[in-house]
Amino acid sequence: MEKDSGFRVQESAWNAILSKEGEVIGTGLTPDSCLLSPALIIGYGNPYRRDDGVAWHVINALRARLGRPPLALDDTGEDNLGHAVDTVMAHQLVPEVALLLPPYSRVIFVDAHIGEIPVPLRVIEVEPGGEFQATTHHFGPGMLLSLAQAQSGTSPRGWLVSIRGDDFNYGETLTETCASQVEPAVDEIMRLADTN
C-alpha cells in the first residue's frame, strides 16, 4: 500500500511541488522544458557567518558573469530557473533540494571548507551515495544525488567546488583570503557548467 506523502505535483512547464494545503513548497523543471545539457549551481552556507557564506558571493559573481541580477541574502533563486546555467542558494542542503535535480545533466555544489583541507580552492567530483543521517544538518551532495536517482531513476553528474574559510563568526563580509578565491571558483564553475 502506498502512503500519501502529503505532496502533489502541479503539472506545467515547471513542476510545482504543493503541500496538501496547496502551498508551493518546491519547483522543478520538466525534462521537455530544459535546454540541452542544462547545469544547476547550488550554493549553500550561512551568509551571516562570514566565510561560511562564500557560496552566496560565488553565486552572485557567477550571476554577474551570466548577466543576471544578484540574489538578495534571503532569496533562493528558485523562482528564476530555466536557463542553460541555473543558480540557487540555500543555508544548508535539505532533502527537498533533490526535487530540483532530475532535469539537469550536471549539478555543481558550492560551499566553504575548513583548514583541514590544505588547498584554498578544491574541485572534486561527487558520486551518488553517503549514509543518511538522523538530521538534515549533515545532508551532503552525494545524498542529494542519491535521492534524485531514487526519485527519477537517474541523477546528474555532480561536482563540489569548495573554498577554504578562516572565519566563521557572525558577519556578512568574507576574509581577504577567502574573497580572493571567489573569481577562481567562478572560473571553475564556468568550465564545469560549459553547455557547448
Side-chain angles (χ1 to χ4, degrees):
M1 181 166 77
E2 201 172 291
K3 185 179 176 187
D4 181 9
S5 67
F7 303 107
R8 63 186 175 87
V9 176
Q10 177 179 316
E11 296 292 336
S12 67
W14 297 87
N15 284 338
I17 312 303
L18 306 175
S19 69
K20 284 184 178 178
E21 295 78 29
E23 175 187 358
V24 176
I25 58 172
T27 60
L29 292 168
T30 58
D32 59 343
S33 68
C34 291
L35 299 170
L36 268 179
S37 300
L40 176 63
I41 318 307
I42 301 174
Y44 60 102
N46 186 342
Y48 301 105
R49 298 297 299 254
R50 305 246 359 207
D51 291 349
D52 192 42
V54 68
W56 181 76
H57 294 271
V58 171
I59 290 292
N60 279 333
L62 175 62
R63 289 177 65 86
R65 281 207 203 169
L66 296 171
R68 295 192 209 131
L71 294 177
L73 284 171
D74 61 346
D75 188 1
T76 66
E78 288 182 42
D79 59 346
N80 188 22
L81 301 177
H83 306 279
V85 177
D86 284 330
T87 60
V88 295
M89 185 65 204
H91 281 274
Q92 64 183 14
L93 297 180
V94 294
E96 292 81 4
V97 174
L99 297 171
L100 297 172
L101 304 186
Y104 293 94
S105 63
R106 55 200 105 147
V107 60
I108 301 160
F109 300 93
V110 184
D111 192 17
H113 67 257
I114 57 175
E116 293 173 4
I117 299 169
V119 294
L121 177 65
R122 182 175 77 156
V123 178
I124 59 170
E125 190 157 2
V126 178
E127 298 290 333
E131 293 184 23
F132 290 92
Q133 305 290 324
T135 65
T136 59
H137 183 71
H138 300 288
F139 210 84
M143 290 182 227
L144 282 178
L145 294 176
S146 290
L147 279 178
Q149 192 166 34
Q151 171 190 339
S152 66
T154 186
S155 76
R157 192 167 175 199
W159 291 271
L160 172 62
V161 174
S162 65
I163 296 173
R164 186 176 60 228
D166 297 316
D167 184 350
F168 295 86
N169 290 311
Y170 291 107
E172 295 174 23
T173 58
L174 299 176
T175 59
E176 188 176 321
T177 55
C178 187
S180 73
Q181 295 304 307
V182 169
E183 289 301 324
V186 172
D187 292 339
E188 285 297 319
I189 291 166
M190 294 293 285
R191 182 183 62 78
L192 293 169
D194 183 15
T195 57
N196 295 323

